[in-house]
Amino acid sequence: MKLIIFGPPGSGKGTQASILAKKNKIPHLSTGDILRSKLEEGDDLGQELSTIMSIGNLVPDSIINPIVADKLLSNDCKNGFILDGYPRNKYQSDFLIDFLKKNNLDIDLIIDFIADTTTVKKRIMERSRIENRSDDNLEVIKTRLDKYFAETQPLAVIFKEKFKDKFFEINATQEITKIQYDIENKLKNAQI
Ligand code: ADP
């Protein structure tokens, strides 16, 4: 099973990706988590990531593209993966589509989490209280959402055209269990 989970910060992608990964025993590749763990190493790269991520900007493609490529080729991903947080702009999307083609990998499904700004802001503020993530404050959230709507969301048009009926929208303002149910149904119908 090879899935891409797509949607704004705070739409619940991470939660669903992690449930699906556990159920299907495949890795959950969250680029945000991968970058946060690199940041914690505190070396030069970590410092650079910290500066960029703390203000809600995107990490350069030259850093994230090879990280994702390496992961996708690793043994862990031989039975599938759930990609969460990538691709996030046109360069990443072009890179990924080309990479998949070169490596004979097919995506089974792209799930687009649809949620309004008020809902996601509320959820991120709540997460901020619980997890104490340094990029979960109102000003940084605004930057992350602006980036999402400017650079990431427009990719949905490309995905729809490229992946056709493998691209599927989900109402991400619903309860966790209902979203889970909708995804399971879609996977079943698509015989994945
Ligand atoms: P969210 O989507 O909730 O903002 P993530 O955990 O997915 O949070 O990402 C946190 C931060 O990590 C982003 O604001 C960005 O700085 C960086 N990041 C994650 N994925 C990418 C990516 N594909 N390209 C560039 N930067 C990324």
Side-chain angles (χ1 to χ4, degrees), residues 16 123 171-182:
Q16 296 295 334
R123 286 190 186 159
N171 173 2
T173 62
Q174 306 178 100
E175 281 179 19
I176 291 177
T177 48
K178 176 68 173 72
I179 298 175
Q180 222 180 317
Y181 175 82
D182 285 357

Side-chain angles (χ1 to χ4, degrees), residues 142-156:
K142 190 177 173 314
T143 307
R144 280 156 57 204
L145 285 172
D146 287 349
K147 295 247 167 255
Y148 177 79
F149 289 112
E151 298 189 39
T152 313
Q153 200 197 33
L155 300 178

Side-chain angles (χ1 to χ4, degrees), residues 7-11 13 30-33 35-36 49 52-61 64-65 68 84-89 92 124 127 133 135-136 140 144-145 148:
S11 59
K13 298 174 297 202
S30 152
T31 47
D33 286 349
L35 290 168
R36 273 186 290 279
L49 293 177
I52 299 169
M53 291 165 71
S54 63
I55 53 169
N57 279 336
L58 290 186
V59 166
D61 304 323
I64 191 70
N65 284 344
V68 172
D84 159 18
Y86 184 96
R88 241 173 163 102
N89 62 27
Q92 296 180 12
I124 299 174
R127 178 170 77 188
R133 246 175 71 168
D135 60 347
D136 278 351
V140 179
R144 280 156 57 204
L145 285 172
Y148 177 79

Side-chain angles (χ1 to χ4, degrees), residues 126-134 136:
E126 178 63 13
R127 178 170 77 188
S128 144
R129 217 173 44 77
I130 299 166
E131 293 179 13
N132 199 18
R133 246 175 71 168
S134 64
D136 278 351

Side-chain angles (χ1 to χ4, degrees), residues 82-134:
I82 299 175
L83 199 47
D84 159 18
Y86 184 96
R88 241 173 163 102
N89 62 27
K90 177 81 167 64
Y91 298 104
Q92 296 180 12
S93 160
D94 287 347
F95 176 84
L96 180 68
I97 289 172
D98 184 56
F99 173 87
L100 293 170
K101 196 168 165 205
K102 279 190 183 135
N103 292 284
N104 264 323
L105 293 167
D106 272 330
I107 295 296
D108 296 307
L109 209 63
I110 302 191
I111 308 172
D112 187 6
F113 280 50
I114 309 284
D116 59 277
T117 318
T118 314
T119 304
V120 298
K121 271 194 187 152
K122 222 170 93 193
R123 286 190 186 159
I124 299 174
M125 288 314 288
E126 178 63 13
R127 178 170 77 188
S128 144
R129 217 173 44 77
I130 299 166
E131 293 179 13
N132 199 18
R133 246 175 71 168
S134 64

